């Protein structure tokens, strides 16, 4: 085929340890790994789209209302089941 050449990529250069890229990461001590983790966490947190104060208030209100409704439903069900159990076994 015209215009297509076979190219072979050169292998990555390896250090004296023969580990290549992985060698730098493997040579890090526990504090180096902790620092890397911290830097990665901070980098990810910078990508987060934080809600505005109004959105946060709306979300919090929705969650609180939902929790209160579920608590009321469970309270009524518990009361009803306890009355049925008292009637059957009482």
């Amino acid at each position: 085929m015209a215009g297509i050449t076979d190219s072979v990529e050169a292998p990555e250069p390896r250090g004296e340890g023969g580990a290549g890229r992985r060698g730098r990461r493997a040579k890090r001590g526990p504090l180096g790994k902790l620092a890397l983790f911290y830097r990665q966490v901070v980098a990810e947190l910078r990508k987060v789209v934080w809600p505005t104060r109004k959105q946060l208030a709306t979300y919090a209100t929705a969650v609180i209302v939902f929790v209160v409704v579920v608590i009321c439903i469970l309270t009524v069900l518990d009361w009803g089941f306890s009355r049925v159990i008292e009637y059957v076994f009482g």
Side-chain angles (χ1 to χ4, degrees), residues 33-53:
K33 290 178 183 179
L34 187 62
L36 173 65
F37 175 74
Y38 178 74
R39 284 193 306 272
Q40 289 174 344
V41 167
V42 170
E44 288 299 321
L45 284 175
R46 288 182 185 180
K47 296 178 188 177
V48 173
V49 178
W50 297 99
T52 64
R53 186 175 294 268

Side-chain angles (χ1 to χ4, degrees), residues 60-77:
T61 303
V63 168
I64 291 170
V65 168
F66 177 77
V67 168
V68 168
V69 168
V70 170
I71 288 173
C72 291
I73 292 170
L74 290 176
T75 302
V76 169
L77 285 173

